Structures are given as structure tokens and as C-alpha cells.
Amino acid sequence: MLLLAVDTATPAVTVALHDGESVLAESNQVDARRHGELLLPSVDAVLADAGVKLEAVTGIVVGVGPGPYTGLRVGLVTAATFASVLGVPVHGLCTLDGLAYAAGAAGIEGPFTVATDARRKEVYWARYEDPRTRTGEPAVDRPADIAERVAGLPAVGQGAQLYPEVFTDARVPVHQSAAALAALAAERLAEGAEFLPPTPLYLRRPDAEVPKNYKVVTPK
């Protein structure tokens, strides 16, 4: 097994290579505006660090969100392209699940909350009983609207850091890690668990939209 994991659903451009037992190499950069520019060089760097050729990869792992439209699609399109070229499967995982798994590695047992920045003064979030067990589906809300539901719980992710008045026990990790995502995928593959399809989990309309009352002008 040799899994190449990528996630661009958050400001982190994160890539990792996992052999089914441990992480061989990883790259993590935080830049919300340069996902497309940074992802492929990060993949090249990770493969070089591990001394592995792309052709040796046996599976692709990708975070499917939730996340903003533009950044999220960079990772998904890249994952789908690699899988097609290599003829290997692509395994989708919820980005919040990867953060929850990383929280477990950081010592959080549960229950706790994962919250990432959804922009527009909102967060993508979910509650977890433990690092591998999410309770319910991911959602997008204004922090004040979920204050009672997350009160007193430890919280990880950038969303928790941005709204300390709601997430009063914010902890690390702050950003997504493809290494954690890959480790979670390796566990699920060993268990024969199902994965999500590699399609985007947006939870709301894209940030960039065609203006209302847009007038199309065509030449006569």
C-alpha cells in the first residue's frame, strides 16, 4: 500500500505519503489564495522526500470538504487526475474527520468539536464522540447560533480559533493535515470500511456567482 493524500478544503495546502503503517513524507503550507499554485509542487516535494516515483502510488486519498468552492476543487480535480492517469482508486474522506483524527493524535479523546473557517462569518463544523466517531452530518452555521450546542467542549480547527467567545476551549490542531487524513484512510482500508465519493461537499452555494440580472450581450 502506498497512499498519496491531498486536501485543499481549508487554507492549508497539505500533502502526505503513507505506506499503510506510517507517514513517509508530508508537506503543509497555509495560504488560502494559492492552492492551485502550491499543490503540485508539494506533491513533487513529498515524493522526492520519500524517494518514491508517482507510478508507485496504489491509491489516492482526498479531503472532500466541507470547504469553500475554489480551494476545495483544486484538490479534488488533482486527485481525480492522478487516479485516472495511474489507474488507481481515489478515496474521499470528510475534511473534518481528518482534523478529528489529528486531534486524537494530539491527545483529545472526546467528546469535542471540529470547526473550520467557512468565511461569511460562519464555520463548517461537526461534533465527535471520539477521534473516529462523528455524531451527525457536517453543517455550516454562524458561531453564535451553535453556541449552546458546543458549550464547554474542546474544539479544534481554525474556526475555533477565530471565534473564542463561542469555542471557549480551542486547542490544536488548527489546520488540516494530509498525514492524519492518510493514516485514517489506511485504518479504514484495513477495516474494509466505505469511503465517500471524491465529489465536493460544499454545504452552500459557491462564493463566486454570476450576478443577478446579468445581461448577456451577443453580437448581431
Side-chain angles (χ1 to χ4, degrees):
M1 180 186 298
L2 195 60
L3 300 174
L4 177 65
V6 301
D7 198 321
T8 59
T10 71
V13 179
T14 178
V15 179
L17 196 65
H18 197 288
D19 67 0
E21 296 183 359
S22 61
V23 176
L24 302 181
E26 62 180 304
S27 171
N28 300 288
Q29 300 179 74
V30 178
D31 193 326
R33 298 180 181 276
R34 299 174 65 208
H35 291 90
E37 180 181 345
L38 295 174
L39 182 56
L40 288 179
S42 295
V43 171
D44 288 342
V46 165
L47 292 171
D49 287 348
V52 171
K53 298 289 186 181
L54 180 62
E55 293 76 11
V57 170
T58 61
I60 308 295
V61 180
V62 62
V64 302
Y69 176 79
T70 304
L72 176 56
R73 67 179 180 174
V74 170
L76 287 166
V77 169
T78 301
T81 301
F82 281 150
S84 177
V85 170
L86 297 173
V88 300
V90 55
H91 309 292
L93 285 173
C94 174
T95 294
L96 302 183
D97 290 354
L99 269 162
Y101 190 88
I108 299 178
E109 297 180 355
F112 63 95
T113 304
V114 175
T116 60
D117 183 17
R119 304 174 184 171
R120 305 183 194 177
K121 298 182 179 180
E122 294 178 330
V123 293
Y124 298 117
W125 71 285
R127 282 188 54 164
Y128 290 79
E129 284 302 314
D130 59 59
R132 295 171 179 79
T133 308
R134 174 163 35 89
T135 58
E137 295 300 316
V140 58
D141 288 290
R142 289 183 177 273
D145 294 340
I146 60 172
E148 292 185 2
R149 300 166 68 181
V150 303
L153 293 177
V156 303
Q158 189 181 34
Q161 300 287 331
L162 290 173
Y163 303 98
E165 69 280 5
V166 172
F167 302 99
T168 56
D169 187 10
R171 305 186 189 183
V172 295
V174 176
H175 295 291
Q176 173 68 314
S177 161
L181 199 71
L184 176 59
E187 280 194 11
R188 292 191 176 182
L189 283 168
E191 295 167 355
E194 294 185 358
F195 288 83
L196 296 174
T199 55
L201 182 60
Y202 290 132
L203 300 186
R204 70 180 184 203
R205 296 178 64 83
D207 290 335
E209 299 180 27
V210 176
K212 294 181 179 179
N213 302 317
Y214 180 76
K215 185 178 181 181
V216 177
V217 178
T218 56
K220 293 181 179 180

